[in-house]
Amino acid sequence: MIQVRPKIRPFLAVMLSFFTLHGCADPQREMTLDPNAQPERRRLAWPADPEVPRYLYAGELTGENNFPEMRKTREGAAKVLAWLVGLGLDEEQSIVLQRPQSGAVDARGRIYVTDVSRQAVFVFDPLELRLDVWGFAAEGERFVAPIGIVPGPGDEMLVADAELGAVFRLDPEGNPVGRFGGDVLKRPTGLARDRERGLVYVADTRGNDVKVFDDSGVLTDFIGRRGDSPGELNAPTYIAFAHNRLYVTDSLNSRVQVFDREGNLLTLFGERGLYIGNLTRPKGIAVDDEENIYVVESYYDHLLVYDRDGRFLLSIGGTGNAPGQFYLPAGVWTDGGSRIYVSDMFNGRVSIFQFLGGS
């Protein structure tokens, strides 16, 4: 294939970007949650028959495959431009997830996914039918290892970058508008926010604590210190704030600890073991409207479900790449539609499950 001459490459890049983001004559029509679904496939449910199902497999997010018209438009634009200039184009990299870490859903239904391999935040917009990739943490500075993400004050999104050692503010279009924590954070990973009080919680994995900032980015408190006693932490990774409680995956202590708004320990659960329900290497954590607690057990490739008191209810997953299976999963989050999202890291996708309710 003839290579594109350097002088015209910028022109082609601009044109391809325009066609990719804005489409051409054939508009994007839908965002599909399961691009590989087969009509005849039986719906996966947990628990399995004959028990009453509580969760259904709802599909997956991978990238441009979720927007069939977007991919068609991008490929078509590349062919048109190649014909116009009489030259071949280098093979374009597909716009897909590689190593998703965590995510969030905002009030408008946009789904955000951090990806440490792509060093970016993917934004799936089911209403505008578009996929955006945000690569800049600050002006002239790209993300290196974006991990945690949470809606911030106003329409901002907050992103924790473990390597850059700070929390970055992005506006609704992905433009950098500020940062905080760079003077105290050692390796920020998980993020959570108390909207009522305007507080941002940051899991500092290397600092072995959770640091608390106000919405302006001022450090106001910290929770925990290094150790294995109740209330102490050893490499916390992901966190969640729900029902006036802060949930922390205390990863190297193989447990979950739950704190009140003031940072007082309420309860803890989990221990190392060989049985499903044990926590050998917990990572992502989320809580739904019914106070079910979801914990990613990354070592055994399961999503574990507990009640509000930490009693084990059921597991979803197992090692593999089939729908409903995981390969080194990382984060988990929920939305207002009772859906649970799991970043299936080494499978390069986000798996989605629908909670049907019930106890």
Side-chain angles (χ1 to χ4, degrees):
M1 176 179 292
I2 300 175
Q3 299 296 311
V4 177
R5 291 195 299 269
K7 289 184 178 179
I8 67 171
R9 184 184 295 273
F11 165 75
L12 294 180
V14 171
M15 292 301 292
L16 278 172
S17 175
F18 176 82
F19 280 122
T20 298
L21 295 179
H22 299 281
C24 50
D26 198 7
Q28 300 175 23
R29 292 189 177 89
E30 64 178 354
M31 184 183 101
T32 174
L33 288 182
D34 194 356
N36 300 311
Q38 300 297 323
E40 67 276 8
R41 191 173 70 199
R42 184 171 62 88
R43 297 293 297 274
L44 297 173
W46 294 266
D49 292 337
E51 297 188 59
V52 177
R54 305 300 184 191
Y55 297 88
L56 289 178
Y57 170 75
E60 64 184 34
L61 298 173
T62 59
E64 65 178 17
N65 293 334
N66 296 99
F67 300 88
E69 294 301 327
M70 174 183 176
R71 182 167 186 171
K72 184 190 302 181
T73 298
R74 184 175 66 83
E75 292 173 348
K79 292 178 181 179
V80 169
L81 287 174
W83 177 81
L84 285 174
V85 301
L87 295 172
L89 293 174
D90 295 335
E91 183 178 352
E92 288 289 309
Q93 185 180 27
S94 297
I95 307 172
V96 295
L97 295 169
Q98 291 180 346
R99 295 290 183 267
Q101 287 291 309
S102 187
V105 181
D106 69 12
R108 292 175 293 180
R110 297 203 296 184
I111 306 164
Y112 302 81
V113 183
T114 58
D115 191 312
V116 293
S117 180
R118 298 301 297 262
Q119 298 178 306
V121 177
F122 279 59
V123 185
F124 296 80
D125 193 329
L127 296 181
E128 296 293 330
L129 297 174
R130 58 184 287 173
L131 173 65
D132 291 318
V133 181
W134 297 349
F136 283 90
E139 186 174 354
E141 184 177 24
R142 290 187 172 274
F143 286 114
V144 178
I147 306 289
I149 186 167
V150 70
D155 291 326
E156 289 182 355
M157 293 299 296
L158 306 179
V159 181
D161 192 298
E163 291 297 325
L164 295 178
V167 177
F168 295 88
R169 303 177 184 274
L170 304 178
D171 71 14
E173 301 306 316
N175 301 306
V177 293
R179 70 171 81 191
F180 62 86
D183 55 338
V184 294
L185 293 169
K186 297 179 179 179
R187 186 174 178 80
T189 49
L191 285 179
R193 182 169 176 264
D194 180 347
R195 290 180 296 177
E196 290 183 4
R197 297 200 301 172
L199 295 177
V200 180
Y201 299 90
V202 185
D204 193 347
T205 301
R206 196 168 291 160
N208 297 295
D209 60 17
V210 175
K211 293 181 170 68
V212 187
F213 299 83
D214 64 21
D215 275 341
S216 66
V218 175
L219 179 68
T220 63
D221 202 355
F222 67 91
I223 298 171
R225 63 181 181 180
R226 185 171 185 175
D228 57 11
S229 298
E232 296 178 335
L233 301 169
N234 189 359
T237 50
Y238 293 88
I239 56 180
F241 185 85
H243 310 289
N244 295 325
R245 294 180 170 192
L246 178 69
Y247 300 78
V248 181
T249 50
D250 189 9
S251 293
L252 294 188
N253 281 330
S254 301
R255 65 190 181 189
V256 169
Q257 300 202 62
V258 185
F259 300 87
D260 67 15
R261 277 180 150 181
E262 307 305 321
N264 302 305
L265 181 66
L266 296 176
T267 186
L268 57 83
F269 62 91
E271 60 182 359
R272 296 181 182 89
L274 301 176
Y275 300 100
I276 295 177
N278 292 143
L279 295 177
T280 299
R281 191 67 76 244
K283 286 192 175 179
I285 188 164
V287 185
D288 67 18
D289 291 340
E290 296 189 19
E291 297 190 69
N292 296 304
I293 305 170
Y294 302 93
V295 182
V296 169
E297 172 41 60
S298 62
Y299 190 84
Y300 290 113
D301 299 313
H302 277 95
L303 175 66
L304 305 178
V305 187
Y306 302 83
D307 69 11
R308 72 183 307 272
D309 297 315
R311 290 186 292 259
F312 176 61
L313 299 177
L314 61 84
S315 68
I316 296 172
T319 305
N321 58 14
Q325 295 180 327
F326 308 117
Y327 186 17
L328 202 62
V332 59
W333 63 101
T334 62
D335 68 12
S338 298
R339 287 175 289 269
I340 300 93
Y341 302 78
V342 179
S343 52
D344 188 7
M345 186 168 62
F346 271 34
N347 280 326
R349 65 189 180 190
V350 172
S351 295
I352 306 173
F353 304 88
Q354 180 68 55
F355 177 47
L356 303 177
S359 59

